[in-house]
Amino acid sequence: MHNDICEKQLLEELRHEIVVTMSGDSLEDVTGKIFQSMRKQIFIDIMKPIIQMEAEEVYFQKVDVKRKTEHFMFFFWPREKVTYTITAKIVVKVKYLDIIKEDL
């Protein structure tokens, strides 16, 4: 059965759209978490050996910024704590090998 994939072009390409929501203490932190989660989700969705992923389009659909002033012992050293929550739609070009275990 493994002869079915010998000498056959296995590299395939597709555009995959994913929506991810993440929160964090800084814009850089949230952006990193969004792309980390996106990569994990694409591996789950495709379920084939992925060779390359390239983000082609990124849209922030919703951005929430929450600011809260905190005080040490209720009165001293006020500081502002900021939390970002971002929902992003990402269109990714994925190159993968079109094989499954049963073919080998």
Side-chain angles (χ1 to χ4, degrees), residues 7-18:
E7 301 297 323
K8 176 183 169 191
Q9 161 59 329
L10 300 173
L11 189 63
E12 296 287 332
E13 184 176 312
L14 65 84
R15 286 174 52 107
H16 189 72
E17 185 176 300
I18 189 165

Side-chain angles (χ1 to χ4, degrees), residues 14-66:
L14 65 84
R15 286 174 52 107
H16 189 72
E17 185 176 300
I18 189 165
V19 176
V20 181
T21 301
M22 286 289 146
S23 296
D25 296 333
S26 69
L27 190 57
E28 294 82 8
D29 180 39
V30 177
T31 305
K33 287 180 181 179
I34 285 172
F35 283 97
Q36 205 171 34
S37 177
M38 175 211 68
R39 283 190 293 274
K40 287 179 186 177
Q41 189 60 46
I42 287 176
F43 276 107
I44 291 169
D45 292 349
I46 302 294
M47 295 178 52
K48 294 189 179 185
I50 294 178
I51 304 300
Q52 180 183 18
M53 285 186 265
E54 180 182 345
E56 291 187 326
E57 301 172 25
V58 178
Y59 304 97
F60 282 1
Q61 293 180 322
K62 186 175 181 185
V63 178
D64 288 329
V65 180
K66 293 185 180 175

Side-chain angles (χ1 to χ4, degrees), residues 25 74 83 86 90:
D25 296 333
F74 300 107
T83 304
I86 298 175
I90 306 168

Side-chain angles (χ1 to χ4, degrees), residues 2-13 48-49 51 94-100 103-104:
H2 71 288
N3 289 333
D4 293 342
I5 63 170
C6 289
E7 301 297 323
K8 176 183 169 191
Q9 161 59 329
L10 300 173
L11 189 63
E12 296 287 332
E13 184 176 312
K48 294 189 179 185
I51 304 300
V94 181
K95 291 183 180 181
Y96 64 96
L97 294 180
D98 190 20
I99 58 173
I100 54 175
D103 288 346
L104 300 176

